[in-house]
Amino acid sequence: MKILVTGGLGFIGSHVVVELQNEGFEVVIVDNLSNSTLDVLDGITKITGKKPIFEKLDLREKNAVSNLFSTYKDIYGVIHFAASKAVGESVENPLLYYENNLNSLIYILQELQKKDKAHFIFSSSCTVYGQADSLPITESAPIKPAESPYGNTKQIGEEIIKDTCRVSDNLQAIALRYFNPIGSHESLQIGELPTGTPQNLVPFITQTAIGLREKLAVFGNDYPTEDGTCIRDYIHVVDLAKAHVAALKRLIENKSATNFDYFNIGTGTGSSVLEVIKTFEEVSDQKLNYQIVARREGDVIAAYADTEKANNVLGWQAKLSLKDALSSAWQWEQKIRK
Ligand code: NAD
Ligand code: WQD
Protein backbone atom coordinates (compact mmCIF):
# COMPACT_ATOMS: atom_id res chain seq x y z
CA MET A 1 0.00 0.00 0.00
CA LYS A 2 1.27 3.44 -1.01
CA ILE A 3 0.99 6.16 1.62
CA LEU A 4 1.57 9.83 0.86
CA VAL A 5 3.32 11.60 3.73
CA THR A 6 3.21 15.37 3.37
CA GLY A 7 5.91 17.18 5.33
CA GLY A 8 7.58 13.79 5.55
CA LEU A 9 11.10 15.24 5.89
CA GLY A 10 10.07 17.15 9.01
CA PHE A 11 10.66 16.21 12.63
CA ILE A 12 7.57 14.06 13.20
CA GLY A 13 6.93 13.06 9.58
CA SER A 14 10.39 11.53 9.15
CA HIS A 15 9.92 9.35 12.23
CA VAL A 16 6.51 8.24 10.92
CA VAL A 17 8.00 7.36 7.51
CA VAL A 18 10.46 5.03 9.27
CA GLU A 19 7.67 3.26 11.15
CA LEU A 20 5.52 3.00 7.98
CA GLN A 21 8.40 1.44 6.07
CA ASN A 22 9.08 -0.92 8.97
CA GLU A 23 5.46 -2.05 8.67
CA GLY A 24 5.84 -2.68 4.92
CA PHE A 25 4.05 0.37 3.58
CA GLU A 26 5.42 2.06 0.44
CA VAL A 27 5.95 5.78 1.12
CA VAL A 28 5.81 8.86 -1.10
CA ILE A 29 7.13 11.95 0.68
CA VAL A 30 6.09 15.42 -0.41
CA ASP A 31 7.93 18.34 1.10
CA ASN A 32 8.89 21.88 -0.01
CA LEU A 33 11.99 21.85 2.24
CA SER A 34 10.84 25.07 3.92
CA ASN A 35 11.73 23.60 7.31
CA SER A 36 13.81 20.52 6.48
CA THR A 37 16.62 19.31 4.21
CA LEU A 38 17.20 16.41 1.86
CA ASP A 39 19.71 14.98 4.37
CA VAL A 40 16.67 13.68 6.25
CA LEU A 41 15.83 11.46 3.26
CA ASP A 42 19.31 9.92 3.56
CA GLY A 43 18.78 9.44 7.29
CA ILE A 44 15.50 7.60 6.74
CA THR A 45 17.11 5.40 4.08
CA LYS A 46 20.04 4.54 6.38
CA ILE A 47 17.59 3.40 9.07
CA THR A 48 15.26 1.29 6.94
CA GLY A 49 17.40 0.43 3.92
CA LYS A 50 14.51 1.63 1.74
CA LYS A 51 14.62 5.04 0.04
CA PRO A 52 11.14 6.60 -0.01
CA ILE A 53 9.93 8.24 -3.22
CA PHE A 54 10.43 11.98 -2.79
CA GLU A 55 8.65 14.83 -4.57
CA LYS A 56 9.73 18.40 -3.84
CA LEU A 57 6.49 20.33 -4.02
CA ASP A 58 4.71 23.22 -2.34
CA LEU A 59 1.24 22.11 -1.31
CA ARG A 60 -0.01 25.70 -1.61
CA GLU A 61 0.12 25.20 -5.38
CA LYS A 62 -3.25 23.68 -6.26
CA ASN A 63 -2.20 22.47 -9.74
CA ALA A 64 0.92 20.84 -8.33
CA VAL A 65 -1.20 18.93 -5.82
CA SER A 66 -3.59 17.83 -8.55
CA ASN A 67 -0.71 16.68 -10.77
CA LEU A 68 0.76 14.76 -7.83
CA PHE A 69 -2.42 12.73 -7.40
CA SER A 70 -2.61 12.16 -11.17
CA THR A 71 0.94 10.80 -11.09
CA TYR A 72 0.35 8.58 -8.06
CA LYS A 73 -3.15 7.25 -8.72
CA ASP A 74 -2.55 4.37 -6.30
CA ILE A 75 -2.15 6.51 -3.21
CA TYR A 76 -4.10 4.57 -0.57
CA GLY A 77 -3.81 7.07 2.25
CA VAL A 78 -2.40 10.45 3.22
CA ILE A 79 -0.73 11.44 6.48
CA HIS A 80 -0.65 15.22 6.48
CA PHE A 81 2.18 16.85 8.47
CA ALA A 82 3.00 19.75 6.16
CA ALA A 83 2.29 23.01 7.96
CA SER A 84 3.92 25.99 9.60
CA LYS A 85 4.02 25.42 13.37
CA ALA A 86 5.68 28.28 15.23
CA VAL A 87 3.11 29.82 17.57
CA GLY A 88 4.88 33.16 17.93
CA GLU A 89 5.45 33.53 14.18
CA SER A 90 1.77 32.84 13.57
CA VAL A 91 0.86 35.86 15.73
CA GLU A 92 3.21 38.07 13.71
CA ASN A 93 2.20 36.67 10.32
CA PRO A 94 -1.29 35.12 10.55
CA LEU A 95 -1.99 35.04 6.80
CA LEU A 96 1.13 32.94 6.18
CA TYR A 97 -0.31 30.39 8.60
CA TYR A 98 -3.88 30.48 7.29
CA GLU A 99 -2.66 30.16 3.71
CA ASN A 100 -0.07 27.45 4.34
CA ASN A 101 -1.93 25.34 6.86
CA LEU A 102 -5.43 25.56 5.40
CA ASN A 103 -4.96 25.85 1.63
CA SER A 104 -2.67 22.80 1.56
CA LEU A 105 -5.23 20.85 3.59
CA ILE A 106 -8.10 21.89 1.29
CA TYR A 107 -6.22 20.99 -1.91
CA ILE A 108 -5.40 17.53 -0.58
CA LEU A 109 -8.97 16.87 0.55
CA GLN A 110 -10.28 17.96 -2.85
CA GLU A 111 -8.10 15.31 -4.46
CA LEU A 112 -9.14 12.65 -1.94
CA GLN A 113 -12.80 13.37 -2.62
CA LYS A 114 -12.23 12.19 -6.21
CA LYS A 115 -10.97 8.75 -5.17
CA ASP A 116 -13.14 5.66 -4.71
CA LYS A 117 -11.70 5.17 -1.25
CA ALA A 118 -9.40 7.48 0.71
CA HIS A 119 -7.80 7.40 4.16
CA PHE A 120 -6.54 10.58 5.81
CA ILE A 121 -4.64 11.28 9.03
CA PHE A 122 -4.30 14.88 10.21
CA SER A 123 -1.63 16.33 12.51
CA SER A 124 -3.60 18.13 15.13
CA SER A 125 -2.52 19.39 18.51
CA CYS A 126 -3.60 19.48 22.14
CA THR A 127 -3.46 23.22 21.66
CA VAL A 128 -7.09 22.96 20.47
CA TYR A 129 -8.11 22.47 24.11
CA GLY A 130 -6.47 25.64 25.42
CA GLN A 131 -6.46 25.45 29.23
CA ALA A 132 -8.73 22.46 29.74
CA ASP A 133 -11.21 22.64 32.61
CA SER A 134 -10.16 19.26 33.98
CA LEU A 135 -7.13 16.99 33.79
CA PRO A 136 -6.16 14.60 32.32
CA ILE A 137 -7.67 15.91 29.09
CA THR A 138 -10.13 13.63 27.29
CA GLU A 139 -11.28 13.97 23.67
CA SER A 140 -14.65 15.21 24.95
CA ALA A 141 -13.02 18.25 26.55
CA PRO A 142 -14.43 21.43 24.99
CA ILE A 143 -12.47 23.12 22.23
CA LYS A 144 -11.50 26.54 23.59
CA PRO A 145 -10.94 29.77 21.61
CA ALA A 146 -7.51 29.45 20.01
CA GLU A 147 -4.65 31.31 21.72
CA SER A 148 -2.87 31.88 18.38
CA PRO A 149 -3.51 31.82 14.64
CA TYR A 150 -1.46 28.60 14.59
CA GLY A 151 -3.76 26.94 17.09
CA ASN A 152 -6.71 28.30 15.12
CA THR A 153 -5.47 26.58 11.96
CA LYS A 154 -5.61 23.27 13.82
CA GLN A 155 -9.14 23.91 15.06
CA ILE A 156 -10.35 25.10 11.66
CA GLY A 157 -8.49 22.23 10.00
CA GLU A 158 -10.41 19.70 12.08
CA GLU A 159 -13.69 21.43 11.23
CA ILE A 160 -12.86 21.35 7.50
CA ILE A 161 -12.14 17.62 7.71
CA LYS A 162 -15.30 16.93 9.72
CA ASP A 163 -17.48 18.84 7.26
CA THR A 164 -15.81 17.14 4.28
CA CYS A 165 -16.25 13.68 5.80
CA ARG A 166 -19.92 14.41 6.40
CA VAL A 167 -20.46 14.63 2.61
CA SER A 168 -17.80 12.15 1.49
CA ASP A 169 -18.66 8.51 2.18
CA ASN A 170 -15.46 7.50 0.39
CA LEU A 171 -13.30 9.32 2.96
CA GLN A 172 -12.18 7.91 6.34
CA ALA A 173 -10.24 10.42 8.48
CA ILE A 174 -8.55 10.58 11.89
CA ALA A 175 -7.12 13.63 13.62
CA LEU A 176 -4.33 12.91 16.09
CA ARG A 177 -4.03 15.60 18.78
CA TYR A 178 -0.35 15.48 19.73
CA PHE A 179 0.77 16.66 23.12
CA ASN A 180 4.48 17.54 23.32
CA PRO A 181 6.67 15.45 21.02
CA ILE A 182 10.37 15.28 21.96
CA GLY A 183 13.43 13.13 21.36
CA SER A 184 14.89 11.38 18.34
CA HIS A 185 15.25 7.98 16.72
CA GLU A 186 17.67 5.67 18.54
CA SER A 187 19.80 5.40 15.40
CA LEU A 188 20.54 9.15 15.64
CA GLN A 189 20.00 9.31 11.88
CA ILE A 190 16.96 11.58 12.28
CA GLY A 191 15.78 13.95 15.00
CA GLU A 192 14.52 17.45 15.67
CA LEU A 193 16.29 20.17 13.64
CA PRO A 194 14.90 23.48 14.90
CA THR A 195 15.94 26.39 12.70
CA GLY A 196 17.01 29.57 14.47
CA THR A 197 16.21 30.11 18.13
CA PRO A 198 14.22 27.11 19.38
CA GLN A 199 10.65 27.87 20.43
CA ASN A 200 10.25 24.65 22.39
CA LEU A 201 11.62 23.64 25.76
CA VAL A 202 13.63 20.52 24.97
CA PRO A 203 15.66 21.78 22.00
CA PHE A 204 16.43 24.89 24.05
CA ILE A 205 17.62 22.68 26.91
CA THR A 206 19.88 20.58 24.69
CA GLN A 207 21.31 23.66 22.92
CA THR A 208 22.03 25.24 26.32
CA ALA A 209 23.67 22.05 27.56
CA ILE A 210 25.94 21.83 24.51
CA GLY A 211 26.93 25.51 24.87
CA LEU A 212 25.04 26.98 21.93
CA ARG A 213 22.86 29.02 24.32
CA GLU A 214 24.10 30.72 27.46
CA LYS A 215 21.18 29.69 29.64
CA LEU A 216 17.60 28.46 29.58
CA ALA A 217 14.92 30.96 30.57
CA VAL A 218 12.22 29.21 32.58
CA PHE A 219 9.00 31.05 31.82
CA GLY A 220 7.54 31.51 35.28
CA ASN A 221 7.54 29.55 38.53
CA ASP A 222 4.47 31.17 40.08
CA TYR A 223 1.88 28.88 38.53
CA PRO A 224 -0.53 26.92 40.74
CA THR A 225 1.46 23.70 40.37
CA GLU A 226 3.61 21.74 42.85
CA ASP A 227 6.86 23.49 41.91
CA GLY A 228 5.28 26.57 40.31
CA THR A 229 6.23 25.68 36.72
CA CYS A 230 3.93 24.59 33.88
CA ILE A 231 3.07 20.96 33.31
CA ARG A 232 3.06 19.23 29.89
CA ASP A 233 2.80 15.69 28.51
CA TYR A 234 6.14 15.02 26.79
CA ILE A 235 5.89 12.07 24.41
CA HIS A 236 8.81 10.37 22.66
CA VAL A 237 8.52 11.08 18.94
CA VAL A 238 8.95 7.36 18.18
CA ASP A 239 5.91 6.51 20.32
CA LEU A 240 4.04 9.27 18.51
CA ALA A 241 5.15 7.84 15.16
CA LYS A 242 3.84 4.40 16.10
CA ALA A 243 0.48 5.96 16.94
CA HIS A 244 0.20 7.00 13.27
CA VAL A 245 0.67 3.40 12.12
CA ALA A 246 -1.99 2.31 14.61
CA ALA A 247 -4.34 5.03 13.31
CA LEU A 248 -3.71 4.00 9.68
CA LYS A 249 -4.46 0.36 10.52
CA ARG A 250 -7.67 1.51 12.21
CA LEU A 251 -8.69 3.30 9.01
CA ILE A 252 -7.80 0.27 6.89
CA GLU A 253 -9.85 -2.13 9.03
CA ASN A 254 -12.77 0.29 8.57
CA LYS A 255 -14.73 -0.78 11.66
CA SER A 256 -15.38 2.72 12.96
CA ALA A 257 -18.98 3.88 13.28
CA THR A 258 -17.89 7.31 12.10
CA ASN A 259 -15.71 8.38 9.19
CA PHE A 260 -14.10 11.16 11.21
CA ASP A 261 -12.57 10.42 14.60
CA TYR A 262 -9.93 12.04 16.80
CA PHE A 263 -7.52 10.88 19.48
CA ASN A 264 -5.28 12.41 22.14
CA ILE A 265 -1.74 11.16 21.68
CA GLY A 266 0.37 11.59 24.81
CA THR A 267 1.86 9.51 27.60
CA GLY A 268 -0.91 10.35 30.08
CA THR A 269 1.70 11.70 32.49
CA GLY A 270 2.39 15.37 33.19
CA SER A 271 5.88 16.71 33.89
CA SER A 272 6.76 20.21 35.07
CA VAL A 273 9.48 22.30 33.47
CA LEU A 274 11.68 21.84 36.56
CA GLU A 275 11.08 18.08 36.47
CA VAL A 276 12.19 18.03 32.84
CA ILE A 277 15.32 19.99 33.74
CA LYS A 278 16.08 17.65 36.65
CA THR A 279 15.60 14.57 34.48
CA PHE A 280 17.77 16.09 31.77
CA GLU A 281 20.54 16.76 34.29
CA GLU A 282 20.37 13.09 35.31
CA VAL A 283 20.62 11.77 31.75
CA SER A 284 23.29 14.25 30.66
CA ASP A 285 25.18 14.08 33.98
CA GLN A 286 25.62 17.86 33.95
CA LYS A 287 24.05 20.87 35.60
CA LEU A 288 21.87 22.99 33.32
CA ASN A 289 22.25 26.75 33.46
CA TYR A 290 18.76 28.19 33.80
CA GLN A 291 17.07 31.26 35.21
CA ILE A 292 13.47 31.78 36.25
CA VAL A 293 11.99 34.70 34.28
CA ALA A 294 8.50 36.09 33.68
CA ARG A 295 5.68 33.95 32.36
CA ARG A 296 5.32 33.52 28.59
CA GLU A 297 2.05 34.89 27.26
CA GLY A 298 -0.40 32.23 26.12
CA ASP A 299 1.08 29.39 28.16
CA VAL A 300 -1.49 27.11 29.73
CA ILE A 301 -0.82 26.00 33.31
CA ALA A 302 -1.09 22.27 32.68
CA ALA A 303 -1.95 19.91 29.84
CA TYR A 304 -1.60 16.14 29.84
CA ALA A 305 -3.59 13.50 28.01
CA ASP A 306 -6.19 11.00 29.03
CA THR A 307 -5.03 8.29 26.61
CA GLU A 308 -7.79 5.75 27.25
CA LYS A 309 -9.44 6.21 23.84
CA ALA A 310 -6.19 5.73 21.91
CA ASN A 311 -5.29 2.79 24.14
CA ASN A 312 -8.62 1.04 23.67
CA VAL A 313 -9.61 1.97 20.11
CA LEU A 314 -6.21 2.19 18.41
CA GLY A 315 -4.60 -0.46 20.58
CA TRP A 316 -1.72 1.95 21.08
CA GLN A 317 0.05 3.30 24.13
CA ALA A 318 3.29 5.17 24.75
CA LYS A 319 6.06 2.85 25.93
CA LEU A 320 9.11 5.14 26.20
CA SER A 321 9.83 7.30 29.24
CA LEU A 322 10.69 10.96 29.66
CA LYS A 323 14.22 9.78 30.48
CA ASP A 324 14.39 7.80 27.19
CA ALA A 325 13.20 10.83 25.24
CA LEU A 326 15.54 13.32 26.89
CA SER A 327 18.48 10.95 26.56
CA SER A 328 17.81 10.56 22.82
CA ALA A 329 17.40 14.33 22.42
CA TRP A 330 20.75 14.90 24.15
CA GLN A 331 22.54 12.24 22.09
CA TRP A 332 21.06 13.78 18.92
CA GLU A 333 22.18 17.29 19.90
CA GLN A 334 25.73 16.03 20.49
CA LYS A 335 25.74 14.19 17.19
CA ILE A 336 24.56 17.10 15.02
CA ARG A 337 27.00 19.51 16.64
CA LYS A 338 30.06 17.30 16.00
P1 NAD B 1 8.31 20.35 10.87
O1 NAD B 1 8.36 21.79 10.54
O2 NAD B 1 9.54 19.66 11.32
O3 NAD B 1 7.74 19.52 9.64
C1 NAD B 1 6.82 20.08 8.73
C2 NAD B 1 7.33 19.77 7.34
O4 NAD B 1 6.39 20.25 6.39
C3 NAD B 1 8.68 20.42 7.01
O5 NAD B 1 9.56 19.47 6.49
C4 NAD B 1 8.34 21.51 5.99
O6 NAD B 1 9.38 21.69 5.06
C5 NAD B 1 7.08 20.92 5.34
N1 NAD B 1 6.15 21.91 4.79
C6 NAD B 1 5.65 23.01 5.41
N2 NAD B 1 4.84 23.68 4.57
C7 NAD B 1 4.81 22.97 3.40
C8 NAD B 1 4.16 23.15 2.15
N3 NAD B 1 3.37 24.20 1.92
N4 NAD B 1 4.36 22.23 1.16
C9 NAD B 1 5.16 21.17 1.38
N5 NAD B 1 5.82 20.94 2.54
C10 NAD B 1 5.64 21.84 3.54
O7 NAD B 1 7.16 20.19 11.97
P2 NAD B 1 6.80 18.94 12.90
O8 NAD B 1 7.19 19.29 14.30
O9 NAD B 1 7.28 17.68 12.28
O10 NAD B 1 5.19 18.98 12.85
C11 NAD B 1 4.51 18.22 11.89
C12 NAD B 1 3.03 18.49 12.08
O11 NAD B 1 2.65 18.19 13.42
C13 NAD B 1 2.63 19.94 11.85
O12 NAD B 1 1.36 19.96 11.21
C14 NAD B 1 2.51 20.50 13.26
O13 NAD B 1 1.57 21.57 13.31
C15 NAD B 1 2.00 19.31 14.00
N6 NAD B 1 2.31 19.34 15.44
C16 NAD B 1 3.61 19.49 15.84
C17 NAD B 1 3.89 19.53 17.23
C18 NAD B 1 5.30 19.72 17.72
O14 NAD B 1 5.47 20.05 18.92
N7 NAD B 1 6.30 19.52 16.91
C19 NAD B 1 2.85 19.38 18.16
C20 NAD B 1 1.55 19.23 17.70
C21 NAD B 1 1.28 19.20 16.33
C1 WQD C 1 6.71 23.73 27.16
C2 WQD C 1 6.88 24.36 28.52
C3 WQD C 1 6.94 26.76 28.50
C4 WQD C 1 10.68 27.13 26.28
C5 WQD C 1 4.03 24.26 21.88
C6 WQD C 1 2.92 24.75 21.00
C7 WQD C 1 2.05 23.58 20.62
C8 WQD C 1 2.89 22.48 20.02
C9 WQD C 1 3.97 22.06 20.98
C10 WQD C 1 2.81 22.67 17.65
C11 WQD C 1 5.99 25.59 28.70
C12 WQD C 1 8.26 26.18 28.97
C13 WQD C 1 9.57 26.60 26.93
C14 WQD C 1 11.64 27.85 27.03
C15 WQD C 1 10.36 27.47 29.02
N1 WQD C 1 3.47 22.86 18.81
N2 WQD C 1 9.42 26.76 28.27
N3 WQD C 1 11.45 27.99 28.39
O1 WQD C 1 4.10 25.64 24.65
O2 WQD C 1 3.48 23.32 25.49
O3 WQD C 1 3.48 23.76 23.04
O4 WQD C 1 4.76 23.23 21.24
O5 WQD C 1 1.74 22.17 17.51
O6 WQD C 1 1.09 24.03 19.72
O7 WQD C 1 2.14 25.65 21.74
O8 WQD C 1 5.63 23.63 24.29
O9 WQD C 1 8.06 23.39 24.46
O10 WQD C 1 7.12 25.68 23.88
O11 WQD C 1 6.85 24.77 26.19
O12 WQD C 1 10.21 27.61 30.25
O13 WQD C 1 12.66 28.37 26.49
O14 WQD C 1 8.22 24.81 28.65
O15 WQD C 1 6.57 27.87 29.28
O16 WQD C 1 5.55 25.59 30.04
P1 WQD C 1 4.12 24.17 24.47
P2 WQD C 1 6.99 24.40 24.63
Side-chain angles (χ1 to χ4, degrees):
M1 278 180 195
K2 192 170 280 173
I3 305 298
L4 174 66
V5 180
T6 75
L9 294 186
F11 169 42
I12 301 170
S14 55
H15 287 82
V16 171
V17 169
V18 165
E19 298 307 324
L20 287 170
Q21 289 189 316
N22 288 344
E23 289 288 316
F25 290 100
E26 188 186 356
V27 175
V28 178
I29 294 176
V30 159
D31 203 305
N32 68 354
L33 304 179
S34 59
N35 199 34
S36 53
T37 70
L38 272 177
D39 293 346
V40 178
L41 193 61
D42 297 337
I44 293 167
T45 308
K46 281 184 186 145
I47 296 169
T48 64
K50 290 172 266 186
K51 185 170 187 177
I53 299 166
F54 174 69
E55 297 284 355
K56 185 173 185 281
L57 180 151
D58 192 319
L59 293 163
R60 286 170 293 193
E61 290 163 20
K62 185 181 173 77
N63 290 337
V65 176
S66 184
N67 293 338
L68 177 79
F69 279 83
S70 301
T71 306
Y72 297 99
K73 294 189 189 323
D74 54 348
I75 284 171
Y76 184 81
V78 177
I79 307 183
H80 184 48
F81 295 102
S84 302
K85 61 153 184 177
V87 172
E89 184 187 44
S90 78
V91 174
E92 302 304 318
N93 191 348
L95 289 180
L96 168 72
Y97 276 68
Y98 289 116
E99 184 199 32
N100 195 34
N101 296 6
L102 299 181
N103 285 6
S104 58
L105 169 65
I106 290 166
Y107 297 154
I108 288 166
L109 290 174
Q110 285 173 330
E111 294 303 320
L112 293 182
Q113 271 194 317
K114 299 174 192 169
K115 298 176 77 71
D116 295 337
K117 197 102 187 75
H119 305 84
F120 183 70
I121 297 174
F122 178 64
S123 289
S124 191
S125 169
C126 65
T127 204
V128 301
Y129 298 115
Q131 177 54 71
D133 301 326
S134 62
L135 294 166
I137 302 173
T138 68
E139 286 82 356
S140 56
I143 302 300
K144 298 276 185 78
E147 297 270 346
S148 68
Y150 165 75
N152 208 19
T153 68
K154 293 302 178 185
Q155 291 184 6
I156 299 168
E158 288 197 14
E159 289 298 314
I160 290 172
I161 298 162
K162 186 170 69 176
D163 290 344
T164 306
C165 284
R166 191 179 294 124
V167 295
S168 314
D169 295 342
N170 70 316
L171 184 55
Q172 300 275 339
I174 284 178
L176 296 180
R177 295 172 176 168
Y178 312 158
F179 280 67
N180 291 66
I182 62 170
S184 79
H185 192 266
E186 61 184 356
S187 65
L188 302 186
Q189 293 299 334
I190 54 174
E192 190 167 11
L193 286 167
T195 45
T197 307
Q199 306 297 310
N200 296 125
L201 177 65
V202 171
F204 210 109
I205 286 177
T206 56
Q207 288 190 16
T208 302
I210 205 148
L212 270 179
R213 311 275 163 201
E214 194 230 332
K215 65 182 159 190
L216 169 75
V218 174
F219 298 138
N221 70 342
D222 56 351
Y223 286 96
T225 62
E226 205 168 309
D227 64 19
T229 60
C230 295
I231 293 169
R232 296 291 184 275
D233 185 335
Y234 297 94
I235 177 170
H236 197 300
V237 67
V238 171
D239 274 331
L240 174 61
K242 290 178 175 171
H244 289 75
V245 176
L248 183 60
K249 287 179 176 175
R250 172 73 179 169
L251 290 174
I252 292 167
E253 71 183 12
N254 190 18
K255 287 188 187 144
S256 177
T258 170
N259 68 338
F260 175 56
D261 209 347
Y262 40 90
F263 298 87
N264 289 346
I265 303 297
T267 66
T269 303
S271 302
S272 74
V273 175
L274 290 179
E275 283 169 337
V276 172
I277 292 171
K278 181 170 174 294
T279 308
F280 179 79
E281 290 179 330
E282 284 165 21
V283 301
S284 65
D285 194 24
Q286 62 178 38
K287 286 299 284 172
L288 189 78
N289 186 17
Y290 69 89
Q291 181 184 1
I292 307 290
V293 299
R295 294 182 174 190
R296 177 174 69 175
E297 198 178 330
D299 270 337
V300 298
I301 300 166
Y304 52 94
D306 178 316
T307 60
E308 200 173 325
K309 187 179 176 186
N311 301 155
N312 297 338
V313 176
L314 299 183
W316 168 90
Q317 70 179 42
K319 293 191 164 50
L320 298 165
S321 67
L322 176 65
K323 220 170 184 173
D324 296 326
L326 290 172
S327 175
S328 68
W330 176 228
Q331 290 172 57
W332 171 251
E333 185 68 59
Q334 294 173 93
K335 185 207 172 184
I336 58 176
R337 305 297 175 200
K338 266 185 190 152

